[in-house]
Structures are given as C-alpha cells and as structure tokens.
Amino acid sequence: MTVQIYHECLGQPFNAEGERKVKIPNPLNVRELDLRKMKFVFKSPEFKEILDKESTIGYGRIKWPEKPATELTVECTLTKEIQDCKKLVKTWEKDMESCIRRLLGELHVELISILQELWQVVLEKIKQVHVVDPTKVAIVIEKGTYTIVIVGYKHMVESLKKTLQQIISAIEDDVQKQKQQITEKLSLKHHQFLLLSFDHFKEAIEKKYPELKVTTNSKDRNVTFEGQSSDVKEAKLSLYERCQQICESSAGKFSKNRMDYLKRKEVKSKVSTMLKENDNISCFEIKGDGVMLYAFSDDKAVEAAHLLKGNIIESPIEVSPDSAYLLSSDKWENEVKNIQSREEFKGLLHVITLCDQNKIFIVTFRDLVGLAREFVENYLRDNTF
C-alpha cells in the first residue's frame, strides 16, 4: 500500500515521482442538436466523415447512435502520454462541444410551407427536381405538416430553395388562374360562323390569348371560350366587333331550280372555291326566294353577289315535237345519269326534264353550260327518227 501526503488546498495528490495525476474527462454529451441536421448527417457519409475526423483531431471519438438523435456522445481519447495533456483536459469538453456545434453550424435548414390543396401537385413536380450532390444538400418531405425541408451546405440550400420556390410559385399561379377560369358559349348565325371560319378567327384569338381555349361546333354553330375571365371577355369583344364588320348584298331572286341546285353540297363547295379564287372571303345564304351574300366589306359582298348570280346558270332547251317522245323513255333517263356523272362535270351538272312542257333545263356553272348542252342536243339529234 502506497501512502501519499494530501494537501486540500493543493488539489490532486502527487505520485511517487512527484507528478500530479491526470483525470481524463468523462464522455461528453452534446445536447439539443437540430434533428433535421442530424438526419442529413446520417445520410451524408461525407459530412459524417468530417465530424469523425475533426473530433479525432480534438482527441475525441464520436459514439454514433443507431438512428438520428438530438444529441451526440463523444469519448475523450486523451492519455497522459500526449504532450500538454494536463493543459488539454482542462478545456477538452468546451473545445469539443464548440467543434461539434461549429461543424453542424455549417449546415443550413430551410422550411417551405405548402398549402394543403397544392401538396400533391407540388410533390409530383419536386420528384422531377434533380439534386446534383445529395451528400451536400437534400430535400426532405414532411407530410404531416405539409412542409418541404432543405438541408445541407448553406450556398447549395439557398440555390435549391430558389429553384423550388419558382416551381411552387408557378403552381400557385396556375391554381389561381384555374379558380378564375370561366366558360362561355356563343351561338352564331350561319353566315357569321362560316365567315369567322374562313377568316381563321379561332387561330387568331388563340395566338393572341395563348392560355385561352377556343372550340367551335359547326353543327350547332357555337363558339366556346374557356379561360381566365379577362381573356374570355376580350375574346368575346373581338368576336362581336368582327361580326359587326359583316356586310350583306343580294344576288336577287333565284328560280326553284337554281335554288335547289345551290343547296347541293358539291355546289356549295365549288361556290366557296370560286369566291376564294377571286380573293373574295364571303359566303351565301338562301332567304326565301332570294340569295344573300355576306363579306367583311360592302365591296366584297357586292362582288360576291355578282359572281354568284353570273356563274350559276339555268339554261333551257326546247325539245322539238319530233324528239319529245324521247323524254319519257328509260333510255333518256339513263343518258341523263351518264351525262351528269361524266368526269368533266365533277358532280356539278343538274339536268331537269319536263316531259309535259317538252323542255330540258340545264343547271350548272357558266363554264360548263356549253358542254352540257352539246351532250344533250347531240343525244336528241342522234336518237330522233
């Protein structure tokens, strides 16, 4: 048994060689750490290694818990063989805690609170965000509080936060716009709908208001606007103003034969082509026993009326008594079908036979009348005995 003199005022007793004993500090518990930062550390081998390396330099060894926690335990690795050990142990706890907190202080945490109604949309967009280096910055989703957490090195956190805020702002704007969306359906007259179609009104409006959806229904002659109220109002105003520019002109009275002819689909198509070839955006509409032409100016409407009136021809052929018997024959009926279906006429010839009046009416476009009469007259001449 070794007995040494202890002097209370002098502190620790000396050993046999006259040296004061060194008391190694107990393990240090660094408490009240940021749990979000600790979770990041656990997923960042790079930062974890930095903490281990720095604590080792400061004569400590971190005892990592199995899962992230708000405290860290650091064991002191000082021994009496280390130079200045007696001096180091006096400040080891303070120095080690300061080191741990300083390193963790290099990490930055930013919270972005998301409205509940936007949560799912935001999550879908954030999934598409590419994080260049997950060991330096990370995105954490806290579903319970509808919060997006960004943790990592400050400069990278700030950059990523800016990116996410831009995405979220865009989503918020879209949602606001959707809340202000309205739908309005406008019914148009037949000639209004046709002229607006010829004038490419739909395409012009969609180009002017990119976020406005315009749909047309030719059967019901409807135009539907879907979008923000301000865009819809402006588009409606543009439509009404364009419709007010429509002028009309009469092509005069048409016979029943010419009127029936104008109602045929292929004839309407040919009339439209003829007007376009004359650089005339217009359309016609049958009203009673007359035909009205519509265009975006008086000049064009009048011009269209003259074109229609002058090109739809009803040409009568008086059949002589010697040939009249042919008109009621099956052979003539078949011949009419053959003539009308000839390639030259492209479905634009209509031959009307009036047996009781010994008359044949040829209804077609002016440039086809001569050829049609030639076929009919040749048949009558060649088959009359």
Side-chain angles (χ1 to χ4, degrees):
M1 185 172 97
T2 303
V3 178
Q4 293 178 339
I5 300 172
Y6 174 77
H7 298 282
E8 186 175 349
C9 62
L10 297 177
Q12 291 281 6
F14 288 86
N15 58 19
E17 289 73 28
E19 295 179 349
R20 191 184 300 273
K21 284 188 176 181
V22 177
K23 183 180 180 182
I24 302 302
N26 293 323
L28 169 68
N29 290 321
V30 185
R31 296 185 172 86
E32 298 181 2
L33 300 176
D34 189 314
L35 184 59
R36 293 189 178 101
K37 290 183 179 182
M38 294 305 295
K39 287 180 178 179
F40 172 77
V41 170
F42 266 67
K43 291 185 177 180
S44 174
E46 177 183 297
F47 200 86
K48 205 172 183 180
E49 184 181 340
I50 291 173
L51 281 170
D52 281 331
K53 184 178 180 180
E54 290 297 315
S55 62
T56 300
I57 292 172
Y59 302 103
R61 181 173 55 249
I62 298 174
K63 292 183 64 178
W64 291 101
E66 292 183 1
K67 60 182 181 179
T70 58
E71 66 175 58
L72 273 182
T73 299
V74 186
E75 295 178 334
C76 182
T77 60
L78 281 169
T79 61
K80 66 180 181 179
E81 287 77 18
I82 294 173
Q83 187 177 1
D84 295 330
C85 177
K86 289 185 289 185
K87 182 179 178 181
L88 292 172
V89 295
K90 292 178 181 179
T91 60
W92 180 84
E93 289 186 355
K94 180 181 177 182
D95 292 343
M96 182 56 65
E97 182 167 350
S98 177
C99 175
I100 298 294
R101 293 193 185 280
R102 175 178 56 79
L103 291 172
L104 290 175
E106 293 180 12
L107 297 179
H108 200 59
V109 178
E110 284 286 351
L111 308 181
I112 304 177
S113 183
I114 308 297
L115 291 174
Q116 189 172 344
E117 63 177 319
L118 306 180
W119 183 248
Q120 288 303 323
V121 182
V122 170
L123 286 188
E124 290 301 317
K125 288 291 183 182
I126 286 179
K127 287 178 182 177
Q128 300 171 21
V129 175
H130 176 62
V131 177
V132 179
D133 190 347
T135 65
K136 289 184 171 62
V137 66
I139 299 173
V140 181
I141 308 298
E142 296 186 354
K143 295 181 179 179
T145 56
Y146 302 101
T147 303
I148 304 296
V149 180
I150 311 170
V151 190
Y153 292 95
K154 185 175 182 179
H155 68 285
M156 299 192 73
V157 168
E158 289 175 346
S159 175
L160 185 54
K161 181 184 179 182
K162 185 177 179 180
T163 299
L164 296 186
Q165 284 179 326
Q166 289 174 344
I167 292 172
I168 294 165
S169 293
I171 294 171
E172 288 174 342
D173 289 344
D174 287 341
V175 171
Q176 268 315 108
K177 289 175 183 178
Q178 288 173 12
K179 288 180 178 179
Q180 295 171 4
Q181 295 261 324
I182 62 171
T183 300
E184 289 211 20
K185 182 184 291 185
L186 307 177
S187 295
L188 301 175
K189 294 179 180 178
H190 177 69
H191 68 272
Q192 291 175 329
F193 188 89
L194 284 180
L195 279 179
L196 290 173
S197 298
F198 295 158
D199 196 37
H200 305 293
F201 175 81
K202 176 180 181 291
E203 292 77 6
I205 286 294
E206 287 179 329
K207 185 177 181 180
K208 187 175 180 180
Y209 305 101
E211 296 181 1
L212 184 69
K213 182 181 179 183
V214 184
T215 53
T216 58
N217 186 319
S218 57
K219 182 179 178 181
D220 299 325
R221 301 189 300 277
N222 288 331
V223 176
T224 303
F225 297 123
E226 289 182 74
Q228 293 187 70
S229 57
S230 58
D231 287 350
V232 171
K233 289 176 183 176
E234 291 293 329
K236 280 174 59 181
L237 182 61
S238 296
L239 183 145
Y240 289 140
E241 288 177 345
R242 195 60 172 142
C243 285
Q244 286 177 355
Q245 294 171 356
I246 295 175
C247 302
E248 64 178 42
S249 179
S250 173
K253 292 184 178 181
F254 273 47
S255 67
K256 183 180 184 305
N257 290 337
R258 286 208 296 170
M259 203 76 82
D260 290 342
Y261 181 73
L262 276 175
K263 294 176 182 177
R264 295 169 64 172
K265 183 178 179 180
E266 57 271 22
V267 174
K268 290 180 181 178
S269 178
K270 173 63 178 177
V271 169
S272 178
T273 301
M274 176 189 71
L275 293 171
K276 287 179 181 177
E277 287 174 349
N278 284 273
D279 194 27
N280 191 303
I281 299 176
S282 55
C283 65
F284 72 87
E285 195 172 283
I286 296 172
K287 283 193 173 182
D289 59 355
V291 180
M292 298 299 297
L293 276 296
Y294 300 92
F296 287 113
S297 71
D298 283 323
D299 290 346
K300 290 297 182 181
V302 171
E303 180 187 51
H306 286 304
L307 284 168
L308 184 67
K309 188 175 182 178
N311 280 278
I312 304 299
I313 304 299
E314 180 180 12
S315 179
I317 297 176
E318 297 286 346
V319 181
S320 68
D322 293 338
S323 303
Y325 72 94
L326 292 172
L327 302 184
S328 58
S329 66
D330 291 339
K331 188 176 180 182
W332 167 247
E333 186 177 341
N334 290 330
E335 182 62 19
V336 168
K337 291 178 181 177
N338 289 334
I339 295 173
Q340 290 181 150
S341 62
R342 291 184 68 89
E343 180 65 27
E344 300 96 311
F345 299 113
K346 299 178 181 178
L348 298 173
L349 173 63
H350 188 39
V351 178
I352 302 165
T353 304
L354 299 179
C355 298
D356 57 335
Q357 298 179 29
N358 291 344
K359 275 188 179 181
I360 297 171
F361 287 95
I362 291 174
V363 186
T364 188
F365 283 79
R366 177 176 292 279
D367 59 341
L368 298 175
V369 171
L371 183 61
R373 287 185 67 96
E374 183 180 340
F375 280 118
V376 171
E377 289 169 348
N378 286 347
Y379 176 83
L380 294 175
R381 185 188 63 243
D382 294 342
N383 289 276
T384 299
F385 298 104

